[in-house]
Amino acid sequence: MSGVRSLVAMKHVGVNVAADILMSSGYAGTNAGFIVVSADDPGQHSSQNEQDNRWYGLISHIPVVYPSSPRDAYKLVKEAYKLSEKYGHPVIFRSTTRISHTRQIIQLEEKIPFEKKCKGKFDRNIEKWVLVPAHGRKQKKRMMRVWKTIMEEEGRPPFITVYNPGRRRAIIADGIAFSHVAEAVEMMGKRDEFTLVKVNLPVPLPYKPIVEALKDAKEALIVEELDPVLELQVKKILYDNGLSIDLHGKDIVPENGELDLDTVYKSLKEFMGEPVTTPWKPMKPLELTPKIPPRPPVMCPGCPHRNTFFIVKVAANKARLKNPVFTGDIGCYTLGYQAPFYTQMTSLEMGGSIGVAHGLSKVTDEPVIAVIGDSTFYHAGIPGSINIIYNKGHAVVLILDNYYTAMTGHQPHPGTGKTAMGEETYRVPIEKIMEALGYKTYVINPMNVKESINKVAEAFEEYKKGAPVAIVSRMKCALEALRDARKLGIKLPVYTILEDKCTGCMACVNPIACPAIMVPKGSNKPVIIAELCAGCGLCAQVCPFNAIVLKEPGSPDWIKAWY
Amino acid sequence: MKERYNIILAGVGGQGLLTLGRILGNAAIIAGEEITIAETHGLSQRGGSLIVQIRIGPGESPMIPRGAAHLIIGLEALETGRQIVYANENTKIVMNEFLWPPPLALYPDINQIIEKIRERGLKLYVFNANKLSEELTGSIISANVALLGYTMAIDDELSKRISIEQVDKALEKVFRGKVLEMNRRVLWRAYEEGGKNK
Ligand SMILES: Cc1ncc(C[n+]2csc(CCOP(=O)(O)OP(=O)(O)O)c2C)c(N)n1
């Protein structure tokens, strides 16, 4: 809007949240280069779904640039900016987990420009920025012109590259799928037998190089991860250009999960009509008794969420809050869906805990507790919290304040006291927000287990009487406490279990599942792995026999690391 | 095209696998070798299964097919056992003598894992990297570097591509000051140990 280049980054599902403005930005266009960087997560390494965001390009009429490797990404970002500035139009830069989480050596082509242009002037172009219907209709025409021109003109390297034109068999692959294809045909020694089309602008797919690559082909295979976005477009291109060839795609290449060298190798074999074998001979899994147990993600030693979940469950018993439904959200606390906590029974979208709790409180008579992390609360929980209280829902809102956006790598949020750029700023207290909305708000420090159980039980009593209740559980993320201890030169306490006092009752094992406590092979008494203990003291507070004591008391001021 | 050298790093989140990947990456830059390092992050910061796939040599596809690893470096016994599917009969395996069970789970003991891997006829080297790190630094924090130092001594194919001196230099890109010196000591002591057991 003001002539300054910009870039916004989010994961694939982030685009869902930004979809409203995304649609409008295609209509409005831009005054300087603008890129939406978004990484999809094929295989769902750490996401609620594996949606294919190339569709967003089609629905919003915004071109999608999609690199084949980290090195490609470096080169293509520049090309994406050029494209954006050439057409005055936003560009989606699509990555995937695999590309974003791979390291590769990149030779910088030039120095990063020293002078950055970060200031501009707002362009008072009302027709562009005020999308009332009259303006929107005009802008739509502009957008469709850009769209068609890109399809017509941009079918060139580095967006589309055709190798070995004129072969009988062609393979079209975009993004990382192309890297797998290139290695697979190389390994087969058949690189020259195929016409290969490397697609780095899958949406809208420029038709000229596709026609060029397929006009002499008898058969073609489209290799793409997830949905048949290329396939649909290629089929249309073939039809529009009167070409009829034997075209394969999702009938051979898997549509679920991540592609890799192995799957692509097998797909190519099938396409070639050869026996589906590979050159590698994997070992079978080891036969062990007991088997190697799965190692699902767990809360870290000292994680405040563990304390809070333990406290909430004991307090619910104490207050006779029978069988509450715990609606959940997305963050480290989602791991509470597992044994022994079961304090997350839904996890669907950012902020969903509160909306779902509101709905359930209307249509069931069960007690409902919405569990939401602090970062998620600031970003997506406040409207829902207003909604519950204003529209007379009845659910406890439990906010887990660990000072950080922990799961995604400790980014600051409005409760951290640091801006997104790392500058000092003030902290927005969650309890003040909830009090202002009209919630009876309780704040606990879950490191103090007994005191917190009493407070939470009191809160549940109030809830049972019909009061709107919020609980803020505040304790720093243990990883940050460990980091701060290191920075401040503080030694944190470490606990140990006295073997002669321990009865093997497992009260420190079964209800809290701390990874720092293990039961050695052949023993019935747990031990604490000193190296992993963060010194939160939860186990010592739950041990009924006072068998868990300090091994090392830590520095006198150790508690500072936790605040 | 020269065959890519495939290394699987296996372990538990928090054991320093990603740091190991960065060290090897920097060493590859110094050695002038192409490399891709694919890190799979799970949902948790600590305590989940983790593998890092490293491929040295020209090529862009970052993932190693099952059965195609030349070397598996395992920082934890259960995870080493789990990733055995990446091995073929010629794969070398270097395993930390350390078993860290997930909470609330039944698990096989480390000797059984060692035995079963050996039964497959695989070359398995077991080294107590935690102990060496503890001896030299007072904590297990450098077990990752210890296991790398040991591996550098026993795996000629790896040291043909990246030398121990280059790994030593790469430590400078990843650590600083006292921590750097500490890791250097660990690297070389473990390298010596590896040399004895080659
Ligand atoms: C729509 C959407 N945007 C972003 C994410 C990525 N994400 C996963 S967890 C999380 C926030 C976690 O922070 P918080 O609620 O404070 O919980 P913590 O991990 O600190 O316990 C985010 C932003 C997502 N899953 N969905």
Side-chain angles (χ1 to χ4, degrees):
Chain A
M1 286 180 175
S2 38
V4 177
R5 279 186 174 178
S6 53
L7 181 151
V8 59
M10 61 200 77
K11 63 186 286 173
H12 61 329
V13 287
V15 181
N16 300 340
V17 180
D20 193 6
I21 180 62
L22 184 82
M23 295 302 140
S24 292
S25 74
Y27 277 65
T30 66
N31 285 11
F34 172 45
I35 293 184
V36 181
V37 177
S38 180
D40 288 7
D41 191 15
Q44 289 189 57
H45 293 282
S46 57
S47 306
Q48 56 266 47
N49 72 32
E50 59 171 12
Q51 70 188 45
D52 188 329
N53 274 10
R54 291 173 302 168
W55 294 118
Y56 267 115
L58 290 169
I59 191 176
S60 63
H61 295 99
I62 296 177
V64 178
V65 173
Y66 173 28
S68 300
S69 65
R71 190 179 284 153
D72 235 19
Y74 167 68
K75 295 195 175 123
L76 282 165
V77 160
K78 295 189 239 181
E79 296 295 331
Y81 268 110
K82 281 190 211 155
L83 193 70
S84 173
E85 289 181 348
K86 182 167 166 189
Y87 294 100
H89 206 69
V91 171
I92 294 173
F93 196 85
R94 185 226 198 193
S95 179
T96 61
T97 300
R98 193 54 71 182
I99 291 170
S100 292
H101 286 285
T102 291
R103 296 169 187 276
Q104 195 179 27
I105 301 170
I106 294 170
Q107 197 92 44
L108 296 186
E109 286 167 351
E110 68 228 72
K111 286 225 167 73
I112 292 162
F114 190 63
E115 266 188 53
K116 295 183 203 148
K117 190 186 174 205
C118 295
K119 283 257 185 278
K121 196 162 188 311
F122 178 62
D123 168 26
R124 294 163 196 247
N125 186 342
I126 303 303
E127 259 196 13
K128 223 171 153 176
W129 314 129
V130 182
L131 291 181
V132 291
H135 299 166
R137 283 182 210 115
K138 241 187 182 158
Q139 292 292 63
K140 167 108 196 265
K141 286 187 189 141
R142 180 205 68 86
M143 176 171 80
M144 296 316 289
R145 272 200 306 277
V146 167
W147 190 246
K148 293 206 173 99
T149 316
I150 291 174
M151 248 187 276
E152 196 72 34
E153 304 296 337
E154 300 298 339
R156 55 175 176 90
F159 295 136
I160 311 282
T161 315
V162 180
Y163 302 93
N164 313 327
R167 304 289 192 277
R168 209 177 66 84
R169 280 186 176 138
I171 304 170
I172 301 175
D174 68 344
I176 195 156
F178 183 83
S179 297
H180 304 319
V181 167
E183 186 156 338
V185 294
E186 185 79 46
M187 289 186 80
M188 294 172 182
K190 298 198 170 183
R191 200 173 174 127
D192 292 330
E193 284 182 26
F194 296 101
T195 292
L196 296 177
V197 186
K198 177 173 185 269
V199 177
N200 296 109
L201 179 69
V203 169
L205 186 64
Y207 68 92
K208 286 178 188 162
I210 303 298
V211 172
E212 155 82 10
L214 296 187
K215 67 178 192 304
D216 302 317
K218 296 274 171 298
E219 295 170 289
L221 175 68
I222 294 167
V223 185
E224 59 188 321
E225 226 161 30
L226 301 177
D227 298 343
V229 174
L230 284 183
E231 190 174 333
L232 291 184
Q233 295 181 88
V234 171
K235 281 183 174 160
K236 177 179 187 300
I237 290 170
L238 289 179
Y239 184 85
D240 288 350
N241 290 277
L243 295 175
S244 162
I245 67 168
D246 198 4
L247 187 74
H248 298 277
K250 288 295 156 189
D251 55 333
I252 292 181
V253 181
E255 63 198 347
N256 298 322
E258 197 176 16
L259 294 183
D260 55 24
L261 184 53
D262 186 60
T263 32
V264 168
Y265 195 98
K266 288 176 182 152
S267 297
L268 293 189
K269 283 278 187 183
E270 190 179 334
F271 170 59
M272 286 151 44
E274 289 178 14
V276 179
T277 54
T278 60
W280 32 84
K281 305 266 170 307
M283 286 271 155
K284 285 202 201 66
L286 299 176
E287 292 106 19
L288 297 159
T289 32
K291 284 200 189 104
I292 294 177
R295 193 188 298 271
V298 289
M299 291 175 232
C300 307
C303 175
H305 301 327
R306 172 178 298 106
N307 293 38
T308 307
F309 288 155
F310 176 80
I311 289 162
V312 165
K313 293 195 74 167
V314 176
N317 268 339
K318 195 168 172 197
R320 291 179 207 288
L321 189 70
K322 268 237 201 91
N323 241 338
V325 175
F326 291 92
T327 61
D329 230 292
I330 309 182
C332 291
Y333 48 92
T334 310
L335 302 173
Y337 80 90
Q338 309 173 98
F341 303 110
Y342 306 115
T343 44
Q344 295 276 285
M345 299 174 182
T346 68
S347 178
L348 300 157
E349 41 150 353
M350 299 305 289
S353 57
I354 297 180
V356 173
H358 182 191
L360 289 178
S361 79
K362 292 278 188 189
V363 300
T364 74
D365 291 324
E366 294 163 279
V368 188
I369 303 173
V371 184
I372 186 167
D374 47 359
S375 179
T376 308
F377 172 79
Y378 287 113
H379 292 95
I382 297 172
S385 299
I386 297 175
N387 206 11
I388 295 190
I389 198 163
Y390 190 78
N391 285 313
K392 305 192 171 174
H394 187 51
V396 176
V397 181
L398 168 62
I399 302 151
L400 308 175
D401 180 354
N402 61 355
Y403 301 34
Y404 290 92
T405 316
M407 176 173 260
T408 50
H410 299 98
Q411 292 81 3
H413 61 55
T416 311
K418 287 238 162 64
T419 68
M421 301 304 286
E423 293 160 48
E424 297 285 325
T425 181
Y426 78 111
R427 296 172 63 170
V428 179
I430 297 168
E431 58 273 28
K432 292 269 165 60
I433 297 174
M434 296 311 272
E435 278 160 13
L437 300 184
Y439 285 89
K440 191 153 189 183
T441 306
Y442 297 78
V443 181
I444 62 166
N445 173 357
M447 208 183 251
N448 304 327
V449 178
K450 288 207 179 83
E451 181 193 315
S452 298
I453 290 173
N454 290 336
K455 266 200 199 171
V456 174
E458 190 191 318
F460 287 160
E461 295 288 357
E462 286 297 309
Y463 169 69
K464 277 167 63 183
K465 284 186 224 155
V469 167
I471 302 165
V472 180
S473 179
R474 179 168 293 136
M475 172 176 156
K476 197 194 272 179
C477 168
L479 294 182
E480 284 295 323
L482 290 171
R483 204 164 296 167
D484 288 345
R486 227 176 298 132
K487 259 201 319 232
L488 300 168
I490 289 174
K491 259 194 141 34
L492 293 172
V494 173
Y495 286 84
T496 188
I497 300 176
L498 299 174
E499 210 195 325
D500 53 333
K501 278 198 167 183
C502 174
T503 64
C505 75
M506 301 290 161
C508 61
V509 174
N510 294 330
I512 63 179
C514 175
I517 303 181
M518 71 176 268
V519 185
K521 259 310 317 161
S523 167
N524 56 3
K525 290 183 184 181
V527 297
I528 294 176
I529 309 172
E531 288 286 349
L532 301 175
C533 175
C536 74
L538 175 63
C539 55
Q541 294 178 69
V542 303
C543 175
F545 302 100
N546 297 321
I548 305 185
V549 297
L550 283 171
K551 180 182 187 197
E552 297 153 22
S555 319
D557 57 348
W558 65 268
I559 194 74
K560 273 197 192 148
W562 285 93
Y563 291 114
Chain B
M1 195 164 93
K2 207 165 82 188
E3 195 193 11
R4 296 170 83 186
Y5 194 68
N6 298 329
I7 309 173
I8 294 281
L9 305 182
V12 182
Q15 283 195 295
L17 270 85
L18 304 186
T19 308
L20 260 197
R22 279 175 56 209
I23 294 169
L24 278 169
N26 279 294
I29 295 179
I30 297 165
E33 287 276 356
E34 283 280 1
I35 193 166
T36 58
I37 305 165
E39 306 167 345
T40 315
H41 297 231
L43 276 176
S44 61
Q45 295 254 355
R46 296 281 187 280
S49 290
L50 193 64
I51 76 166
V52 177
Q53 310 186 36
I54 300 182
R55 312 191 69 193
I56 304 171
E60 305 276 319
S61 172
M63 286 145 88
I64 300 171
R66 303 202 159 174
H70 296 96
L71 171 67
I72 297 176
I73 302 179
L75 275 158
E76 195 276 336
L78 294 170
E79 295 310 316
T80 311
R82 194 191 311 283
Q83 305 308 346
I84 209 78
V85 291
Y86 282 96
N88 57 57
E89 52 198 22
N90 298 314
T91 305
K92 267 190 192 154
I93 300 172
V94 183
M95 182 175 99
N96 190 8
E97 197 176 343
F98 172 56
L99 187 146
W100 176 14
L104 311 181
L106 292 174
Y107 58 93
D109 77 9
I110 190 164
N111 292 324
Q112 198 193 147
I113 296 173
I114 291 172
E115 208 175 288
K116 291 285 175 185
I117 295 178
R118 294 230 160 100
E119 265 174 31
R120 297 283 174 88
L122 287 165
K123 266 202 214 93
L124 171 69
Y125 298 83
V126 182
F127 174 56
N128 199 329
N130 284 24
K131 197 163 131 221
L132 183 92
S133 169
E134 239 178 311
E135 269 171 39
L136 294 187
T137 73
S139 96
I140 55 174
I141 193 135
S142 294
N144 56 349
V145 172
L147 205 60
L148 178 60
Y150 186 92
T151 308
M152 291 305 302
I154 62 109
D155 190 10
D156 297 339
E157 285 300 316
L158 174 59
S159 50
K160 241 197 268 168
R161 292 162 169 90
I162 293 175
S163 71
I164 179 80
E165 289 79 15
Q166 286 158 342
V167 173
D168 174 277
K169 266 249 147 301
L171 293 180
E172 290 170 16
K173 301 272 176 202
V174 179
F175 304 111
R176 255 171 243 286
K178 267 201 221 142
V179 181
L180 170 63
E181 287 322 310
M182 205 171 76
N183 277 300
R184 271 215 163 107
R185 275 204 306 278
V186 170
L187 181 78
W188 285 99
R189 254 296 287 289
Y191 184 71
E192 251 172 62
E193 290 297 317
K196 287 184 216 157
N197 291 291
K198 200 170 160 179

